[in-house]
Amino acid sequence: MSYNFDLFIIGAGPGGIAAAKQAASYGKRVAIAEQEVIGGTCVNRGCIPKKLIVYAADVALQDKIAPNYGWSECQRQFDWSKFIAKVYQHVKSIQKSYLETLHKKDVELIRGRVKFVDPHTVEIGDCALLSTGGDRKITADKILIAVGGHPNKPDIPGIEHAVTSREMFQIQQLPKRIAIVGGGYIGVEFASMMNAFGVEVTLMDTDELILDGFDKDIRSSVQDGLIQRGIRFLGKTTAKEIKQSAQGLQITLSGDTEQTITTDTILVATGRVPNTKDLGLENAGVELGKKGAIQVDDYNRTTQDNIFAVGDCISRVPLTPVARTEGEAVAKTAFGQPQKVDYEYVTSAVFARPEAATVGMTEDKAREKYGDAVRCYKTEFEPLLYSIVDRNEPTMMKLVVDSNTDQVLGAHMVGEHAADIIQSLAVAVRKGITKEDFDATIGIHPTTGEEFLTLD
Ligand SMILES: Cc1cc2nc3c(=O)[nH]c(=O)nc-3n(C[C@H](O)[C@H](O)[C@H](O)COP(=O)(O)OP(=O)(O)OC[C@H]3O[C@@H](n4cnc5c(N)ncnc54)[C@H](O)[C@@H]3O)c2cc1C
Ligand SMILES: NC(=O)c1ccc[n+]([C@@H]2O[C@H](COP(=O)([O-])OP(=O)(O)OC[C@H]3O[C@@H](n4cnc5c(N)ncnc54)[C@H](O)[C@@H]3O)[C@@H](O)[C@H]2O)c1
């Protein structure tokens, strides 16, 4: 049977684009469909605009410490609308370079919403095919689902008054006050950015500590850091009801803090849900697993043999580099050597101030596996940058080690440049570096990173 394409990809986010490039490198006929804009969540309403906002917020923080470094005080004004226009100018340039890459590699980009007709056929709604145009059915030997996810909105009265991270990137001006429901990656990063811009921030989570899943020392260290900067954190608390009033939005809380607070913006950041609705998965024999995620095996194959799924829609590790790695692995499995993704040493960071980053096992996970053989090495210190600043800004570093083998199982850090430092350590940790190797390495002085080499 002949098909229109060897591989048809649904979703042009990091997962889909990585798969398209890899499959095209085998000389395969590849098409990728996108219902919105090329680049997906990461480029358009995630990592990239977020990190640029972090940089803008850092300028405000630098201003605060500047007098300690001999700079006279000055009154700089921040213009959100001017800044965000620059951000989207950059986002457009990334979209353009993606389009050029796909074009160069002969990957056909199809604009429109895709739905399965059967395991080898999809239907494109609102199709504006770059070459021909018009609605059409397309057949493919193999199909990759890389449709990502969307924010989960808790089912509470008045939730329509709340925004999600998606709308936060579209706000016209900064609010004076913001209440953030959910202290995960998104809640914590936005809390930090908004606080730096001078917004009054209340952050809440159903747990007593923010950043579920991270090492407990990271969780408490970042939480203390946020509180110290003036963010009001309410643990074991959630939103029960939201109402519009003349004074602003009223959010009624339940849990450890039972009160009603008035705010201008409410951001809900309580996790994300896979985009599997109305995809016609039932027509293709693709089944869902836990929490609506697409069920896949170790090779990212769905319950239908010729159909694969990667990225946020499978809810394994919803991060851009993971989606990319999975996308490439699928193309290799489908057209080259079968390849599994190794999730053991996925590095990740929370771009808050203080910044947090991690690779490998948390202390709790290590203890589950290695019991009393786990030894932790930890330090907390004031970095040189803050030594002449009238503010306490501790850095925390921690190594989790299996004392039987001396192997470093995990490295965790909170503080300046944590993401870049942990990123570099990740290679060594993945390769099974020992604590002795850390100790035997001569550091660069004076840096924050060198402290990882002298832990005892
Ligand atoms: C605010 C925020 C900040 C983040 N920051 C980071 C970060 O700093 N670092 C990091 O690693 N990760 C970060 N992430 C997570 C990261 O964005 C995702 O893990 C990543 O984008 C997942 O890639 P994906 O390809 O699976 O899906 P997406 O990037 O979501 O792409 C899926 C694409 O599929 C399209 N699509 C969906 N359904 C259809 C359909 N039926 N037909 C056609 N097209 C369809 C969508 O329009 C979308 O463009 C962040 C996420 C958010 C929300
Ligand atoms: N720096 C990064 O890499 C980065 C940044 C942003 C997002 N992301 C990705 O996006 C995903 C989604 O982020 P997220 O922050 O929405 O989810 P998350 O899963 O990271 O955190 C959700 C938080 O909300 C809390 N929560 C859940 N329901 C609640 C409720 N009703 N009331 C109060 N708190 C509640 C949870 O306890 C948890 O702490 C992340 O898992 C991550 O993979 C990554």
Side-chain angles (χ1 to χ4, degrees):
M1 158 118 199
S2 80
Y3 298 105
N4 298 127
F5 294 99
D6 298 312
L7 177 65
F8 184 88
I9 300 164
I10 314 173
I17 289 177
K21 290 200 282 192
Q22 186 68 36
S25 75
Y26 293 112
K28 298 294 167 185
R29 293 167 304 147
V30 183
I32 187 165
E34 175 54 59
Q35 63 182 2
E36 288 191 59
V37 267
I38 189 165
T41 305
C42 177
V43 168
N44 299 290
R45 45 193 181 273
C47 333
I48 299 297
K50 183 273 307 287
K51 191 76 189 279
L52 290 170
I53 302 174
V54 170
Y55 288 139
D58 278 350
V59 176
L61 296 176
Q62 288 286 329
D63 265 6
K64 278 196 184 140
I65 64 168
N68 299 81
Y69 276 85
W71 294 89
S72 51
E73 305 254 9
C74 65
Q75 283 289 310
R76 284 206 271 191
Q77 294 299 317
F78 177 62
D79 185 335
W80 170 265
S81 53
K82 200 166 155 189
F83 159 67
I84 210 75
K86 292 276 286 179
V87 169
Y88 280 99
Q89 213 175 318
H90 179 63
V91 165
K92 281 208 160 53
S93 76
I94 301 178
Q95 293 167 357
K96 187 166 170 266
S97 86
Y98 280 0
L99 288 172
E100 284 165 3
T101 306
L102 293 182
H103 183 69
K104 240 185 256 161
K105 292 189 176 291
D106 271 339
V107 173
E108 186 147 12
L109 175 67
I110 296 167
R111 297 189 186 272
R113 183 169 170 75
V114 176
K115 201 172 169 172
F116 279 98
V117 175
D118 65 44
H120 288 281
T121 314
V122 294
E123 193 169 40
I124 322 282
D126 308 323
C127 175
L129 195 73
L130 286 189
S131 44
T132 55
D135 273 12
R136 83 177 215 199
K137 283 190 179 145
I138 289 177
T139 60
D141 181 14
K142 297 189 168 50
I143 299 178
L144 171 63
I145 308 170
V147 292
H150 64 275
N152 163 51
K153 272 189 153 188
D155 186 16
I156 57 166
I159 193 68
E160 66 279 7
H161 298 300
V163 298
T164 69
S165 59
R166 192 180 174 110
E167 293 84 37
M168 279 303 289
F169 292 112
Q170 307 294 334
I171 54 173
Q172 298 302 307
Q173 58 186 41
L174 289 169
K176 283 202 166 55
R177 302 162 294 185
I178 188 168
I180 302 178
V181 186
Y185 282 88
I186 294 178
V188 167
E189 289 180 341
F190 272 104
S192 166
M193 294 184 270
M194 291 295 126
N195 167 263
F197 289 128
V199 178
E200 189 188 307
V201 180
T202 303
L203 173 67
M204 70 198 76
D205 199 289
T206 39
D207 207 342
E208 61 189 331
L209 283 179
I210 56 171
L211 297 177
D212 183 29
F214 280 80
D215 187 272
K216 58 189 174 201
D217 284 307
I218 284 201
R219 300 178 71 185
S220 54
S221 192
V222 176
Q223 189 161 305
D224 292 347
L226 295 180
I227 292 169
Q228 213 174 299
R229 285 171 188 279
I231 290 168
R232 181 178 179 219
F233 176 68
L234 308 174
K236 292 194 173 171
T237 298
T238 189
K240 199 166 75 176
E241 187 175 16
I242 299 169
K243 275 187 185 153
Q244 179 84 63
S245 79
Q247 290 74 39
L249 291 171
Q250 292 199 314
I251 173 165
T252 305
L253 309 177
S254 67
D256 274 9
T257 310
E258 289 194 359
Q259 54 176 247
T260 299
I261 56 175
T262 307
T263 187
D264 305 310
T265 298
I266 297 168
L267 165 64
V268 283
T270 54
R272 289 172 62 81
V273 197
N275 285 333
T276 48
K277 217 170 145 210
D278 298 331
L279 250 185
L281 294 176
E282 62 290 352
N283 303 331
V286 173
E287 285 171 24
L288 299 182
K290 272 188 265 165
K291 293 186 186 165
I294 296 174
Q295 201 179 312
V296 287
D297 67 11
D298 287 350
Y299 293 91
N300 289 81
R301 206 182 285 275
T302 67
T303 44
Q304 180 67 46
D305 240 24
N306 67 309
I307 302 177
F308 297 80
V310 297
D312 284 10
C313 66
I314 62 168
S315 288
R316 265 186 190 154
V317 186
L319 295 172
T320 288
V322 175
R324 269 194 215 131
T325 308
E326 290 169 343
E328 280 169 13
V330 161
K332 287 176 187 167
T333 299
F335 305 113
Q337 288 291 322
Q339 190 171 317
K340 286 188 199 176
V341 174
D342 175 6
Y343 296 94
E344 210 172 338
Y345 292 102
V346 174
T347 323
S348 94
V350 182
F351 296 102
R353 301 294 177 251
E355 184 164 280
T358 185
V359 62
M361 283 190 195
T362 63
E363 179 179 345
D364 287 350
K365 278 266 178 287
R367 289 202 187 283
E368 273 171 31
K369 188 162 178 194
Y370 298 95
D372 290 342
V374 171
R375 190 161 302 155
C376 293
Y377 299 83
K378 183 181 142 187
T379 183
E380 279 171 298
F381 60 95
E382 182 181 80
L384 188 61
L385 176 68
Y386 285 96
S387 59
I388 57 169
V389 174
D390 198 16
R391 213 172 68 206
N392 192 12
E393 193 69 44
T395 288
M396 191 283 294
M397 287 175 173
K398 179 173 178 180
L399 289 180
V400 179
V401 177
D402 172 8
S403 62
N404 286 328
T405 58
D406 200 39
Q407 188 186 341
V408 175
L409 304 169
H412 312 278
M413 178 175 170
V414 173
E416 220 203 347
H417 307 309
D420 288 297
I421 291 170
I422 291 290
Q423 176 69 91
S424 308
L425 288 184
V427 181
V429 173
R430 184 171 172 272
K431 285 305 222 183
I433 193 173
T434 62
K435 174 68 171 66
E436 200 186 338
D437 292 324
F438 266 81
D439 298 342
T441 305
I442 298 174
I444 302 172
H445 184 73
T447 61
T448 303
E450 68 176 324
E451 302 296 331
F452 259 122
L453 311 176
T454 57
L455 294 180
D456 52 29

